Amino acid sequence: MPFPAALQAPARAVHPPLAERSPAAAAEPVYDPTMGDFPPILTTKRLLLRPYERTDRDGMLQAFSDPEVTRFMSAPADKPDLRVLFERVFSVYETRRFLIWAVAPRDNPGAYLGHAELKTTEHCQPGEQEIVYLLHPAARGKGYAKETVRAVTGHAASLPGVTAIIGTVDADNAASIHVMEQCGYARARSITDELGEVLVLRHAAPQGGLP
């Protein structure tokens, strides 16, 4: 998965967790303050996508610094920077710049399984939103990634004006590519940066959201 790249623009074309949106994307309206709970709580058969809590800090730091994630990072993992990123979650909540969820088991909502986002990025064409996600090491291999992607994709498809959802994945990240394709995403285009090829996978949003 992409790297939660500290406080500067990522070196990779993969859009990292908690990176700020591009200047063009940042000029777009933030989420309507009248929309209710922010972020809205999403549920699947086994998962709860909920707002971050202060008690999620250790779980997030473990997830974001895990070697299976850092393999696809745009810069070395740095614990102090990751702590800054944790604080950024709550800053985003205050300004409603984009959607961020902590992923938890439905039967234990206080536990931490992973991270998910939905936002407009520099990779998005008009009407598109980008999904970003990663899981804690202990949560992998259980099908949670697919449930997370489907939940966020379904929510995105229900939003006014959203015509498609995209994800950017390192071309060598076979596991994430497989998850996205299993969730209905198709390879739409590719980007080449100084570190190699990045795939843009796209899921069209049917009118009225996903079934």
Side-chain angles (χ1 to χ4, degrees), residues 10-197:
R12 295 243 52 194
V14 173
H15 195 83
L18 288 167
E20 291 294 348
R21 304 185 303 170
S22 67
E28 297 184 0
V30 296
Y31 284 85
D32 186 345
T34 66
M35 70 182 292
D37 292 338
F38 189 91
I41 293 175
L42 308 180
T43 58
T44 72
K45 182 177 180 179
R46 298 180 296 168
L47 300 180
L48 179 72
L49 277 67
R50 56 163 175 78
Y52 264 85
E53 300 171 355
R54 290 288 173 182
T55 52
D56 295 320
R57 179 178 175 274
D58 288 348
M60 176 182 163
L61 296 186
Q62 292 167 7
F64 278 44
S65 59
D66 180 70
E68 286 301 308
V69 173
T70 60
R71 287 176 56 202
F72 303 104
M73 285 183 176
S74 57
D78 184 83
K79 286 285 188 179
D81 284 344
L82 293 182
R83 295 187 184 105
V84 170
L85 285 178
F86 182 72
E87 294 302 320
R88 178 177 287 173
V89 171
F90 301 97
S91 172
V92 169
Y93 286 164
E94 289 178 2
T95 58
R96 298 191 171 210
R97 293 195 297 277
F98 53 90
L99 294 168
I100 304 174
W101 293 271
V103 181
R106 284 187 67 170
D107 60 0
N108 187 9
Y112 183 86
L113 298 179
H115 175 94
E117 300 176 14
L118 182 68
K119 55 189 172 184
T120 307
T121 72
E122 63 273 21
H123 303 120
C124 293
Q125 297 176 354
E128 292 181 344
Q129 292 270 295
E130 181 164 354
I131 181 174
V132 179
Y133 76 95
L134 62 85
L135 293 180
H136 189 280
R140 295 185 191 133
K142 301 176 181 179
Y144 292 152
K146 291 178 186 177
E147 284 191 46
T148 299
V149 170
R150 286 174 176 147
V152 176
T153 301
H155 178 69
S158 73
L159 296 175
V162 174
T163 58
I165 306 92
I166 66 166
T168 50
V169 184
D170 188 297
D172 292 330
N173 192 345
S176 286
I177 293 169
H178 177 73
V179 166
M180 300 289 280
E181 291 180 335
Q182 288 287 302
C183 293
Y185 285 75
R187 304 183 193 205
R189 53 192 182 270
S190 65
I191 305 165
T192 301
D193 62 23
E194 64 272 22
L195 297 178
E197 183 183 12

